[in-house]
Amino acid sequence: MYQRLTNIQSDYQNKIIATTVRTKPRWVALEDLNVKGMMKNRHLAKAISYQSFYNFKIKLIVKCQQLGIPVHLTNRFEPTSKVCHQCGYKKVDLKLQDRVYECKSCDYTEDRDINAALNIRDTENFELAY
Ligand SMILES: [Zn+2]
């Protein structure tokens, strides 16, 4: 049973990676999440370990390296969720349960994860993975 779940997960990761590299991106950006810290949060631990972020990250980096696609690892302390992608305003009181980012400064409204993803894509505060 576990082997089967592991295979399904691995297959899913491979498909996401293949779909990503097929778009021939100029770079791929990943947030260097503090997985160890997140594992200490009992609400997040199960979901995170099941998704095996680490395996995914390594597979993605290896594939990108094979194809010559740069991989940007965003600094762990970059406030990617708190910063407005449109104007740069930093929302210091953003909470984990706030699923929509609403900027007080410019009225930009976007799904929290999309806003963060755009910041991760565009930040210059990163290290190259290889
Ligand atoms: Zn804004």
Side-chain angles (χ1 to χ4, degrees), residues 110-123:
E110 184 55 274
D111 176 90
R112 171 210 184 91
D113 294 330
I114 304 271
N115 180 62
L118 293 170
N119 288 329
I120 292 163
R121 181 192 68 185
D122 295 341
T123 183

Side-chain angles (χ1 to χ4, degrees), residues 38-119:
M38 291 167 84
M39 291 293 285
K40 287 179 188 154
N41 179 330
R42 63 189 173 88
H43 299 292
L44 298 173
K46 203 173 176 187
I48 291 162
S49 63
Y50 278 2
Q51 287 173 19
S52 60
F53 283 176
Y54 185 77
N55 286 347
F56 178 77
K57 178 178 164 183
I58 298 302
K59 276 198 233 176
L60 179 64
I61 291 170
V62 167
K63 190 54 149 178
C64 286
Q65 189 172 17
Q66 286 169 352
L67 299 170
I69 301 167
V71 179
H72 297 182
L73 297 176
T74 306
N75 186 295
R76 167 173 307 180
F77 300 105
E78 182 86 350
T80 52
S81 296
K82 291 181 177 169
V83 170
C84 170
H85 179 67
Q86 188 158 283
C87 76
Y89 171 80
K90 188 172 170 185
K91 193 173 191 174
V92 289
D93 60 346
L94 186 80
K95 293 178 179 60
L96 198 57
Q97 68 262 30
D98 297 337
R99 299 317 304 167
V100 174
Y101 187 95
E102 290 171 354
C103 183
K104 291 176 194 164
S105 176
C106 74
D107 290 333
Y108 174 77
T109 301
E110 184 55 274
D111 176 90
R112 171 210 184 91
D113 294 330
I114 304 271
N115 180 62
L118 293 170
N119 288 329

